[in-house]
Amino acid sequence: LTDCEVLHSMRSGIGVNGKQTEIEMTRCSVKQNSFSGMGVNHQARCILLRECEFTQNGYHGIWLNAGVVARWQGGSLAGNKLSDKDGAGKLIGYLS
């Protein structure tokens, strides 16, 4: 996804459950969703978040389950109600 907006979802803005998915987001805005901006339950082949904004979500900006690894390449991850990054997974490149 490039230059997209995901706003006002009644659940998480983006929910990922497939083990073989490939996710690449560039300059996307994911905000004001009822749950997390992005929630990932299973390790995907690739998760790359480049210059994206995850703000003002009802739970977490990004939630990653145990074993999930995603790469953060700049952007805004702030102002989410419970936390900006949560879950046991790793967000490589993000410094809280």
Side-chain angles (χ1 to χ4, degrees):
L1 299 170
T2 301
D3 297 322
C4 68
E5 289 187 329
V6 180
L7 309 169
H8 307 293
S9 172
M10 297 301 292
R11 296 186 56 91
S12 291
I14 299 170
V16 181
N17 292 303
K19 292 182 180 180
Q20 296 299 317
T21 58
E22 294 183 18
I23 302 154
E24 186 172 334
M25 296 175 63
T26 302
R27 295 182 310 274
C28 291
S29 178
V30 183
K31 61 185 182 178
Q32 299 175 352
N33 297 289
S34 295
F35 294 174
S36 296
M38 172 184 263
V40 183
N41 286 318
H42 300 104
Q43 176 56 40
R45 272 191 239 167
C46 173
I47 303 172
L48 177 59
L49 308 171
R50 183 182 301 119
E51 299 174 28
C52 292
E53 172 187 26
F54 292 84
T55 61
Q56 303 171 16
N57 293 291
Y59 289 3
H60 315 286
I62 298 173
W63 184 88
L64 304 174
N65 202 358
V68 174
V69 176
R71 296 195 179 277
W72 177 259
Q73 294 183 346
S76 177
L77 183 54
N80 297 286
K81 191 168 188 173
L82 296 181
S83 67
D84 295 321
K85 191 280 176 190
D86 206 355
K90 295 180 183 175
L91 186 56
I92 296 170
Y94 174 71
L95 304 173
S96 57

